[in-house]
Amino acid sequence: MNEKHESTVGEAFREIIKDQDALKNYAELLNRAEFGQKSSYTVISACVISNGANVTKQAAQTMDMSIWRTIRSSGHRSTLFMHEGSLVAVRQNSSDADISRLCAELEAVLKEPANEVCIGVSHTLDGLSSVSEGYEQASAAQFMSMLGKTGCTRYGDIGVMKLVFGIKNTNILREFVRENLGTLRRFDVERNADYCDTLKLYLTHNGSVSEAAEKAGVHRNTINLKMRAIKEILGKELDDTTKSSLILAFRIEEVLELYDKRSDF
């Protein structure tokens, strides 16, 4: 397959990702390129971050030949293209082991000392009509990789965050954050306090005052005093239901921050 043809196939998949109904316009082209209607497909989305900036396009251009050698190395039908600031690969009829190997090799090719490589992998889905859904899954997993700095994250491993990424109306997500963290955020701003940071640290360490204090570099009594104040400000005890809502609110807040930076990424 020559470079021009590969580019055309990549453009076809990019259009299908943007609008699934576009598949009818590209079915014949993809069939000629041996991307079968009934084959299985896995989507991989990767980005390269350097000093807080998305440098994926520059990295991909610099490593173009190495990336293509990696993509072609197993013989599985694949295509590669840029979309929404990420390097996207669509892989046909690949095993789980092949996808793991490919992700590891992609990370090795793109990795530089100052770079952070974040990769998301979709489920393996049936049919060309599933590629758009596969991209949404890979993109969600990539966001979680960016948040957790985990290198490669599979959609099947992001748990309850599938529900968060499935909500396309961000106003709903912002409202959930406001309902759970708004009062504490306002208090921090008005009093120049850091109660939200303390609460997040406490929850991150599963409610362990000792671990939160050690991480913050303060005496455990300091955390205890702050947690009492936080409960008073929130007007509630931190039972399991409240903790779960607060943890989710903090996670959604992180996702929204990435959404807001999407133009930079």
Side-chain angles (χ1 to χ4, degrees):
M1 191 183 298
N2 61 42
E3 183 177 345
K4 181 178 180 181
H5 191 54
E6 286 168 345
S7 175
T8 302
V9 170
E11 288 169 6
F13 274 110
R14 186 162 47 236
E15 291 304 313
I16 292 168
I17 283 171
K18 289 191 290 186
D19 179 6
Q20 186 174 322
D21 290 339
L23 175 58
K24 60 180 178 291
N25 300 325
Y26 296 100
E28 185 178 346
L29 181 151
L30 293 174
N31 186 58
R32 288 200 305 269
E34 299 181 25
F35 286 96
Q37 290 275 5
K38 296 182 179 179
S39 296
S40 64
Y41 292 92
T42 309
V43 182
I44 299 170
S45 182
C47 69
V48 184
I49 308 299
S50 180
N51 297 319
N54 186 341
V55 296
T56 307
K57 187 174 182 178
Q58 299 93 306
Q61 289 172 340
T62 301
M63 302 293 182
D64 182 62
M65 293 307 297
S66 296
I67 294 171
W68 270 112
R69 279 195 296 271
T70 298
I71 289 293
R72 291 169 174 155
S73 60
S74 73
H76 290 281
R77 185 70 56 185
S78 305
T79 192
L80 191 69
F81 52 92
M82 289 293 302
H83 184 59
E84 295 184 331
S86 293
L87 185 65
V88 180
V90 178
R91 194 103 162 143
Q92 184 187 64
N93 298 336
S94 288
S95 67
D96 187 70
D98 174 67
I99 294 298
S100 295
R101 178 196 61 78
L102 176 59
C103 289
E105 292 182 2
L106 270 178
E107 186 174 3
V109 168
L110 293 169
K111 186 75 173 176
E112 295 287 342
N115 290 351
E116 177 186 339
V117 181
C118 301
I119 299 173
V121 182
S122 74
H123 288 317
T124 297
L125 302 171
D126 292 329
L128 280 172
S129 61
S130 70
V131 169
S132 179
E133 179 185 354
Y135 172 74
E136 292 296 327
Q137 293 182 359
S139 181
Q142 180 187 290
F143 272 120
M144 292 305 295
S145 180
M146 293 166 71
L147 291 175
K149 303 184 188 302
T150 55
C152 181
T153 300
R154 290 177 178 268
Y155 182 72
D157 295 331
I158 70 173
V160 71
M161 294 303 290
K162 291 177 183 178
L163 302 178
V164 173
F165 288 107
I167 298 172
K168 300 307 177 184
N169 184 347
T170 58
N171 289 331
I172 295 173
L173 299 177
R174 295 181 196 280
E175 182 181 357
F176 184 84
V177 172
R178 282 195 299 271
E179 288 175 351
N180 286 277
L181 296 176
T183 300
L184 202 58
R185 286 285 181 207
R186 286 192 296 273
F187 189 95
D188 277 356
V189 171
E190 292 168 1
R191 306 294 180 89
N192 193 29
D194 63 352
Y195 286 131
C196 278
D197 290 342
T198 299
L199 177 59
K200 188 175 184 179
L201 193 62
Y202 173 82
L203 295 172
T204 299
H205 289 86
N206 298 315
S208 171
V209 171
S210 297
E211 291 180 16
E214 183 178 352
K215 183 67 175 180
V218 299
H219 194 277
R220 67 191 314 276
N221 287 346
T222 300
I223 300 296
N224 276 322
L225 287 170
K226 286 187 174 183
M227 288 308 302
R228 279 201 289 271
I230 287 167
K231 292 173 188 177
E232 290 179 8
I233 295 165
L234 293 176
K236 62 179 75 175
E237 290 297 317
L238 299 186
D239 58 25
D240 289 344
T241 299
T242 300
K243 285 180 183 177
S244 296
S245 294
L246 290 168
I247 290 168
L248 185 57
F250 277 121
R251 210 57 169 153
I252 291 173
E253 196 173 49
E254 292 172 344
V255 170
L256 289 172
E257 287 176 6
L258 285 181
Y259 282 174
D260 292 340
K261 293 178 181 177
R262 198 149 30 181
S263 60
D264 298 328
F265 291 145

